[in-house]
Amino acid sequence: MKKQRRRLSSNAPRFEKLEDRVVLDASFMLTGSQFVMNGWDNSDTLTIRDNPAGDAYVFELSTGNWNGTDGNGISGAGSSQLTLNKSAINGLPDGIHAGQGDASQLFDTIFESVDFSGMSGPLTIEGTAIQQTAGSTAMFQHAWLLPDGPINLTQTVSLQHLRLDTPGDVDLTLDSDVQFFGENHANLLSLSVSGDIGFSDQATMRVESNALIQATGNIQLGRSVPLGTPSPLRFQQTVRMEATGDLAFHGNSSRLSFDAGGSASITERSALILTGDNRAGASLMIESFKAMVDDHGTTIAAESLDAS
């Protein structure tokens, strides 16, 4: 008897090898005036550094790959590492913007050693948090740091023009003069500067918790505005300012203390409450639009004092 062969059913599953699929996580685009990165669809870490030659910026994703079009000094589409030639990017008037228009900021930013000081426009970083690797050096001409979480840059950092806007805490140590621009906001602020701290004509600042501001040069925060106009500078809790040079404060605070190696000028637009040890190495001018009081144990020392 012949052995019968079983015929396979036409409905049996068939297996077909698929092409490898590239998982895209974020997009990039060069506009006429700005290089934009956005469209994150997964939680990610964006690491930023110079290439070994120092003539290009590298933006690397921890997961997924970049979606965009190579060309004009830009390469890396379809891979996790995006390279921007500095010669093609530094002249853009609106600079580089990571996170533009994203409703959900899904990426943390880590700076390794990088030099953005040659950029004409600002480096704008949104996302969830910003930090720096140990021992790294980061240099900026204009940096707008706008994450949804904390900012921690405490290694070697040179930063000329700064805008901060975050509901988180900010810890900055800078090896250069710095001037604040635009709207600035933080929960807690710790700022240490080797140089001067300045406040541009259009800048505003609001700090929800305590602030410690130190400079090896001069500190100038706030500015005079007409009565009835909201103060551009507001510290909701205690602010401590320390300058080896002159110090000028013009704004609102809950409690305030200072130490200036040179002269100090304090203009408080509400009731002034001094706390702790306060000193001016030269003249001291204190003006309060309302009452002026001090906490128990507060001290004031100056070469000369003008209080009103």
mmCIF file of all heavy atoms in Angstrom, residues 21-28 38-47 59-68 76-82 106-107:
data_model
loop_
_atom_site.group_PDB
_atom_site.id
_atom_site.type_symbol
_atom_site.label_atom_id
_atom_site.label_comp_id
_atom_site.label_asym_id
_atom_site.label_seq_id
_atom_site.Cartn_x
_atom_site.Cartn_y
_atom_site.Cartn_z
ATOM 1 N N ARG A 21 13.988 47.703 10.719
ATOM 2 C CA ARG A 21 13.232 48.947 10.842
ATOM 3 C C ARG A 21 13.991 49.940 11.717
ATOM 4 O O ARG A 21 14.474 49.585 12.787
ATOM 5 C CB ARG A 21 11.856 48.688 11.472
ATOM 6 C CG ARG A 21 10.948 49.909 11.455
ATOM 7 C CD ARG A 21 9.539 49.503 11.824
ATOM 8 N NE ARG A 21 9.409 49.196 13.237
ATOM 9 C CZ ARG A 21 9.051 50.081 14.169
ATOM 10 N NH1 ARG A 21 8.787 51.323 13.834
ATOM 11 N NH2 ARG A 21 8.950 49.727 15.429
ATOM 12 N N VAL A 22 14.105 51.166 11.233
ATOM 13 C CA VAL A 22 14.759 52.221 11.992
ATOM 14 C C VAL A 22 13.717 52.924 12.859
ATOM 15 O O VAL A 22 12.711 53.413 12.350
ATOM 16 C CB VAL A 22 15.433 53.253 11.049
ATOM 17 C CG1 VAL A 22 16.000 54.413 11.849
ATOM 18 C CG2 VAL A 22 16.521 52.576 10.236
ATOM 19 N N VAL A 23 13.917 52.921 14.164
ATOM 20 C CA VAL A 23 12.991 53.574 15.086
ATOM 21 C C VAL A 23 13.355 55.051 15.205
ATOM 22 O O VAL A 23 14.454 55.397 15.649
ATOM 23 C CB VAL A 23 13.035 52.899 16.475
ATOM 24 C CG1 VAL A 23 12.080 53.602 17.430
ATOM 25 C CG2 VAL A 23 12.686 51.429 16.354
ATOM 26 N N LEU A 24 12.454 55.903 14.773
ATOM 27 C CA LEU A 24 12.694 57.343 14.812
ATOM 28 C C LEU A 24 12.125 57.920 16.092
ATOM 29 O O LEU A 24 11.013 57.607 16.491
ATOM 30 C CB LEU A 24 12.058 58.010 13.587
ATOM 31 C CG LEU A 24 12.555 57.496 12.234
ATOM 32 C CD1 LEU A 24 11.806 58.172 11.104
ATOM 33 C CD2 LEU A 24 14.055 57.704 12.085
ATOM 34 N N ASP A 25 12.902 58.755 16.758
ATOM 35 C CA ASP A 25 12.489 59.278 18.052
ATOM 36 C C ASP A 25 12.315 60.788 18.046
ATOM 37 O O ASP A 25 11.497 61.323 18.766
ATOM 38 C CB ASP A 25 13.510 58.892 19.129
ATOM 39 C CG ASP A 25 13.072 59.325 20.510
ATOM 40 O OD1 ASP A 25 11.972 58.920 20.919
ATOM 41 O OD2 ASP A 25 13.799 60.087 21.166
ATOM 42 N N ALA A 26 13.084 61.525 17.269
ATOM 43 C CA ALA A 26 13.019 62.983 17.241
ATOM 44 C C ALA A 26 13.373 63.458 15.844
ATOM 45 O O ALA A 26 14.018 62.751 15.071
ATOM 46 C CB ALA A 26 13.959 63.589 18.272
ATOM 47 N N SER A 27 12.946 64.670 15.531
ATOM 48 C CA SER A 27 13.144 65.217 14.196
ATOM 49 C C SER A 27 14.036 66.448 14.233
ATOM 50 O O SER A 27 14.158 67.109 15.263
ATOM 51 C CB SER A 27 11.786 65.597 13.582
ATOM 52 O OG SER A 27 10.950 64.466 13.473
ATOM 53 N N PHE A 28 14.641 66.759 13.097
ATOM 54 C CA PHE A 28 15.424 67.986 12.982
ATOM 55 C C PHE A 28 15.128 68.652 11.650
ATOM 56 O O PHE A 28 14.720 68.008 10.676
ATOM 57 C CB PHE A 28 16.927 67.700 13.119
ATOM 58 C CG PHE A 28 17.520 66.888 11.994
ATOM 59 C CD1 PHE A 28 18.009 67.508 10.848
ATOM 60 C CD2 PHE A 28 17.614 65.506 12.083
ATOM 61 C CE1 PHE A 28 18.566 66.771 9.815
ATOM 62 C CE2 PHE A 28 18.173 64.761 11.051
ATOM 63 C CZ PHE A 28 18.647 65.400 9.914
ATOM 64 N N ASN A 38 12.822 68.710 17.425
ATOM 65 C CA ASN A 38 11.580 68.535 18.189
ATOM 66 C C ASN A 38 10.940 67.196 17.841
ATOM 67 O O ASN A 38 11.547 66.356 17.192
ATOM 68 C CB ASN A 38 10.620 69.704 17.942
ATOM 69 C CG ASN A 38 10.268 69.878 16.471
ATOM 70 O OD1 ASN A 38 10.499 68.992 15.652
ATOM 71 N ND2 ASN A 38 9.727 71.037 16.119
ATOM 72 N N GLY A 39 9.690 67.018 18.298
ATOM 73 C CA GLY A 39 8.938 65.822 17.963
ATOM 74 C C GLY A 39 9.339 64.575 18.728
ATOM 75 O O GLY A 39 9.117 63.459 18.249
ATOM 76 N N TRP A 40 9.906 64.731 19.925
ATOM 77 C CA TRP A 40 10.260 63.546 20.709
ATOM 78 C C TRP A 40 9.013 62.714 21.010
ATOM 79 O O TRP A 40 7.985 63.249 21.431
ATOM 80 C CB TRP A 40 10.918 63.961 22.022
ATOM 81 C CG TRP A 40 12.411 64.056 21.953
ATOM 82 C CD1 TRP A 40 13.304 63.085 22.296
ATOM 83 C CD2 TRP A 40 13.199 65.177 21.525
ATOM 84 N NE1 TRP A 40 14.594 63.522 22.115
ATOM 85 C CE2 TRP A 40 14.562 64.803 21.636
ATOM 86 C CE3 TRP A 40 12.898 66.453 21.056
ATOM 87 C CZ2 TRP A 40 15.603 65.653 21.309
ATOM 88 C CZ3 TRP A 40 13.930 67.302 20.722
ATOM 89 C CH2 TRP A 40 15.267 66.906 20.842
ATOM 90 N N ASP A 41 9.083 61.392 20.775
ATOM 91 C CA ASP A 41 7.945 60.536 21.081
ATOM 92 C C ASP A 41 8.295 59.467 22.114
ATOM 93 O O ASP A 41 7.500 58.577 22.380
ATOM 94 C CB ASP A 41 7.386 59.881 19.814
ATOM 95 C CG ASP A 41 8.431 59.097 19.034
ATOM 96 O OD1 ASP A 41 9.508 58.817 19.603
ATOM 97 O OD2 ASP A 41 8.173 58.776 17.867
ATOM 98 N N ASN A 42 9.498 59.525 22.686
ATOM 99 C CA ASN A 42 9.902 58.619 23.767
ATOM 100 C C ASN A 42 10.743 59.395 24.767
ATOM 101 O O ASN A 42 11.394 60.381 24.417
ATOM 102 C CB ASN A 42 10.744 57.445 23.226
ATOM 103 C CG ASN A 42 9.928 56.469 22.406
ATOM 104 O OD1 ASN A 42 9.045 55.810 22.936
ATOM 105 N ND2 ASN A 42 10.224 56.379 21.123
ATOM 106 N N SER A 43 10.714 58.950 26.015
ATOM 107 C CA SER A 43 11.616 59.528 27.001
ATOM 108 C C SER A 43 13.051 59.258 26.560
ATOM 109 O O SER A 43 13.380 58.155 26.148
ATOM 110 C CB SER A 43 11.358 58.929 28.386
ATOM 111 O OG SER A 43 10.057 59.268 28.828
ATOM 112 N N ASP A 44 13.887 60.265 26.650
ATOM 113 C CA ASP A 44 15.187 60.192 26.017
ATOM 114 C C ASP A 44 16.191 61.031 26.788
ATOM 115 O O ASP A 44 15.827 61.868 27.607
ATOM 116 C CB ASP A 44 15.077 60.727 24.583
ATOM 117 C CG ASP A 44 16.057 60.063 23.628
ATOM 118 O OD1 ASP A 44 17.071 59.522 24.102
ATOM 119 O OD2 ASP A 44 15.789 60.090 22.416
ATOM 120 N N THR A 45 17.462 60.799 26.502
ATOM 121 C CA THR A 45 18.530 61.675 26.976
ATOM 122 C C THR A 45 19.248 62.224 25.758
ATOM 123 O O THR A 45 19.677 61.467 24.881
ATOM 124 C CB THR A 45 19.530 60.919 27.863
ATOM 125 O OG1 THR A 45 18.859 60.441 29.031
ATOM 126 C CG2 THR A 45 20.662 61.836 28.304
ATOM 127 N N LEU A 46 19.372 63.539 25.701
ATOM 128 C CA LEU A 46 20.065 64.214 24.613
ATOM 129 C C LEU A 46 21.435 64.647 25.134
ATOM 130 O O LEU A 46 21.522 65.514 26.009
ATOM 131 C CB LEU A 46 19.260 65.422 24.143
ATOM 132 C CG LEU A 46 19.910 66.303 23.071
ATOM 133 C CD1 LEU A 46 20.093 65.512 21.775
ATOM 134 C CD2 LEU A 46 19.066 67.555 22.818
ATOM 135 N N THR A 47 22.491 64.031 24.626
ATOM 136 C CA THR A 47 23.850 64.381 25.028
ATOM 137 C C THR A 47 24.452 65.297 23.969
ATOM 138 O O THR A 47 24.414 64.990 22.774
ATOM 139 C CB THR A 47 24.718 63.121 25.190
ATOM 140 O OG1 THR A 47 24.131 62.272 26.184
ATOM 141 C CG2 THR A 47 26.123 63.486 25.639
ATOM 142 N N PHE A 59 24.856 66.003 18.635
ATOM 143 C CA PHE A 59 23.645 65.815 19.439
ATOM 144 C C PHE A 59 23.280 64.334 19.340
ATOM 145 O O PHE A 59 22.889 63.851 18.275
ATOM 146 C CB PHE A 59 22.501 66.679 18.915
ATOM 147 C CG PHE A 59 22.719 68.153 19.081
ATOM 148 C CD1 PHE A 59 23.528 68.859 18.186
ATOM 149 C CD2 PHE A 59 22.119 68.841 20.121
ATOM 150 C CE1 PHE A 59 23.733 70.220 18.337
ATOM 151 C CE2 PHE A 59 22.324 70.209 20.279
ATOM 152 C CZ PHE A 59 23.140 70.894 19.389
ATOM 153 N N GLU A 60 23.405 63.620 20.455
ATOM 154 C CA GLU A 60 23.219 62.171 20.433
ATOM 155 C C GLU A 60 22.026 61.759 21.284
ATOM 156 O O GLU A 60 21.908 62.166 22.443
ATOM 157 C CB GLU A 60 24.483 61.456 20.925
ATOM 158 C CG GLU A 60 24.393 59.944 20.809
ATOM 159 C CD GLU A 60 25.711 59.266 21.088
ATOM 160 O OE1 GLU A 60 26.686 59.948 21.488
ATOM 161 O OE2 GLU A 60 25.786 58.031 20.912
ATOM 162 N N LEU A 61 21.163 60.911 20.714
ATOM 163 C CA LEU A 61 20.001 60.369 21.412
ATOM 164 C C LEU A 61 20.380 59.075 22.120
ATOM 165 O O LEU A 61 21.140 58.265 21.593
ATOM 166 C CB LEU A 61 18.875 60.081 20.420
ATOM 167 C CG LEU A 61 18.332 61.262 19.617
ATOM 168 C CD1 LEU A 61 17.361 60.763 18.544
ATOM 169 C CD2 LEU A 61 17.653 62.271 20.519
ATOM 170 N N SER A 62 19.816 58.864 23.304
ATOM 171 C CA SER A 62 20.063 57.608 24.010
ATOM 172 C C SER A 62 19.196 56.477 23.475
ATOM 173 O O SER A 62 19.540 55.303 23.600
ATOM 174 C CB SER A 62 19.813 57.785 25.512
ATOM 175 O OG SER A 62 18.459 58.151 25.753
ATOM 176 N N THR A 63 18.047 56.801 22.899
ATOM 177 C CA THR A 63 17.178 55.806 22.272
ATOM 178 C C THR A 63 16.669 56.363 20.949
ATOM 179 O O THR A 63 16.483 57.571 20.801
ATOM 180 C CB THR A 63 15.969 55.462 23.161
ATOM 181 O OG1 THR A 63 15.187 56.656 23.387
ATOM 182 C CG2 THR A 63 16.403 54.904 24.506
ATOM 183 N N GLY A 64 16.425 55.480 20.002
ATOM 184 C CA GLY A 64 15.866 55.917 18.737
ATOM 185 C C GLY A 64 16.874 56.636 17.860
ATOM 186 O O GLY A 64 18.079 56.674 18.131
ATOM 187 N N ASN A 65 16.363 57.222 16.782
ATOM 188 C CA ASN A 65 17.203 57.849 15.772
ATOM 189 C C ASN A 65 16.580 59.160 15.293
ATOM 190 O O ASN A 65 15.407 59.432 15.536
ATOM 191 C CB ASN A 65 17.398 56.899 14.582
ATOM 192 C CG ASN A 65 18.132 55.634 14.965
ATOM 193 O OD1 ASN A 65 19.343 55.612 15.076
ATOM 194 N ND2 ASN A 65 17.370 54.559 15.175
ATOM 195 N N TRP A 66 17.392 59.938 14.613
ATOM 196 C CA TRP A 66 16.962 61.246 14.128
ATOM 197 C C TRP A 66 16.208 61.116 12.804
ATOM 198 O O TRP A 66 16.615 60.362 11.912
ATOM 199 C CB TRP A 66 18.161 62.161 13.925
ATOM 200 C CG TRP A 66 18.809 62.608 15.192
ATOM 201 C CD1 TRP A 66 19.980 62.161 15.738
ATOM 202 C CD2 TRP A 66 18.317 63.622 16.085
ATOM 203 N NE1 TRP A 66 20.254 62.818 16.915
ATOM 204 C CE2 TRP A 66 19.245 63.724 17.149
ATOM 205 C CE3 TRP A 66 17.193 64.449 16.085
ATOM 206 C CZ2 TRP A 66 19.082 64.622 18.203
ATOM 207 C CZ3 TRP A 66 17.014 65.341 17.129
ATOM 208 C CH2 TRP A 66 17.957 65.428 18.172
ATOM 209 N N ASN A 67 15.153 61.885 12.677
ATOM 210 C CA ASN A 67 14.360 61.941 11.454
ATOM 211 C C ASN A 67 14.565 63.316 10.820
ATOM 212 O O ASN A 67 14.264 64.339 11.434
ATOM 213 C CB ASN A 67 12.880 61.724 11.783
ATOM 214 C CG ASN A 67 11.997 61.818 10.552
ATOM 215 O OD1 ASN A 67 12.435 61.491 9.451
ATOM 216 N ND2 ASN A 67 10.770 62.289 10.745
ATOM 217 N N GLY A 68 15.102 63.353 9.625
ATOM 218 C CA GLY A 68 15.342 64.620 8.956
ATOM 219 C C GLY A 68 16.095 64.391 7.665
ATOM 220 O O GLY A 68 16.211 63.263 7.175
ATOM 221 N N GLY A 76 23.516 62.698 9.816
ATOM 222 C CA GLY A 76 23.098 61.809 10.898
ATOM 223 C C GLY A 76 21.669 61.349 10.814
ATOM 224 O O GLY A 76 21.188 60.643 11.713
ATOM 225 N N ALA A 77 20.930 61.711 9.764
ATOM 226 C CA ALA A 77 19.549 61.252 9.626
ATOM 227 C C ALA A 77 19.511 59.728 9.619
ATOM 228 O O ALA A 77 20.313 59.070 8.956
ATOM 229 C CB ALA A 77 18.945 61.804 8.340
ATOM 230 N N GLY A 78 18.572 59.153 10.390
ATOM 231 C CA GLY A 78 18.440 57.712 10.472
ATOM 232 C C GLY A 78 19.355 57.059 11.484
ATOM 233 O O GLY A 78 19.318 55.845 11.655
ATOM 234 N N SER A 79 20.180 57.857 12.167
ATOM 235 C CA SER A 79 21.064 57.322 13.202
ATOM 236 C C SER A 79 20.809 58.071 14.505
ATOM 237 O O SER A 79 20.055 59.046 14.544
ATOM 238 C CB SER A 79 22.528 57.471 12.785
ATOM 239 O OG SER A 79 22.946 58.829 12.868
ATOM 240 N N SER A 80 21.467 57.634 15.569
ATOM 241 C CA SER A 80 21.255 58.273 16.868
ATOM 242 C C SER A 80 22.121 59.514 17.064
ATOM 243 O O SER A 80 21.906 60.276 18.002
ATOM 244 C CB SER A 80 21.563 57.270 17.996
ATOM 245 O OG SER A 80 22.925 56.873 17.939
ATOM 246 N N GLN A 81 23.097 59.719 16.180
ATOM 247 C CA GLN A 81 24.069 60.794 16.367
ATOM 248 C C GLN A 81 23.961 61.808 15.236
ATOM 249 O O GLN A 81 24.150 61.485 14.070
ATOM 250 C CB GLN A 81 25.484 60.206 16.423
ATOM 251 C CG GLN A 81 26.568 61.216 16.746
ATOM 252 C CD GLN A 81 27.890 60.540 17.027
ATOM 253 O OE1 GLN A 81 28.010 59.767 17.980
ATOM 254 N NE2 GLN A 81 28.884 60.795 16.200
ATOM 255 N N LEU A 82 23.654 63.042 15.607
ATOM 256 C CA LEU A 82 23.487 64.126 14.649
ATOM 257 C C LEU A 82 24.697 65.053 14.748
ATOM 258 O O LEU A 82 25.067 65.489 15.843
ATOM 259 C CB LEU A 82 22.200 64.885 14.971
ATOM 260 C CG LEU A 82 21.729 65.969 14.007
ATOM 261 C CD1 LEU A 82 21.382 65.353 12.652
ATOM 262 C CD2 LEU A 82 20.499 66.667 14.598
ATOM 263 N N LEU A 106 10.065 65.393 26.610
ATOM 264 C CA LEU A 106 10.388 64.026 27.006
ATOM 265 C C LEU A 106 11.881 63.758 27.116
ATOM 266 O O LEU A 106 12.273 62.611 27.281
ATOM 267 C CB LEU A 106 9.779 63.055 25.991
ATOM 268 C CG LEU A 106 8.249 63.033 25.919
ATOM 269 C CD1 LEU A 106 7.779 62.168 24.768
ATOM 270 C CD2 LEU A 106 7.670 62.523 27.228
ATOM 271 N N PHE A 107 12.716 64.788 27.015
ATOM 272 C CA PHE A 107 14.151 64.503 27.011
ATOM 273 C C PHE A 107 14.887 65.292 28.080
ATOM 274 O O PHE A 107 14.587 66.442 28.357
ATOM 275 C CB PHE A 107 14.759 64.809 25.632
ATOM 276 C CG PHE A 107 14.692 66.265 25.229
ATOM 277 C CD1 PHE A 107 15.787 67.103 25.428
ATOM 278 C CD2 PHE A 107 13.548 66.798 24.646
ATOM 279 C CE1 PHE A 107 15.730 68.443 25.062
ATOM 280 C CE2 PHE A 107 13.486 68.131 24.268
ATOM 281 C CZ PHE A 107 14.583 68.957 24.483
#
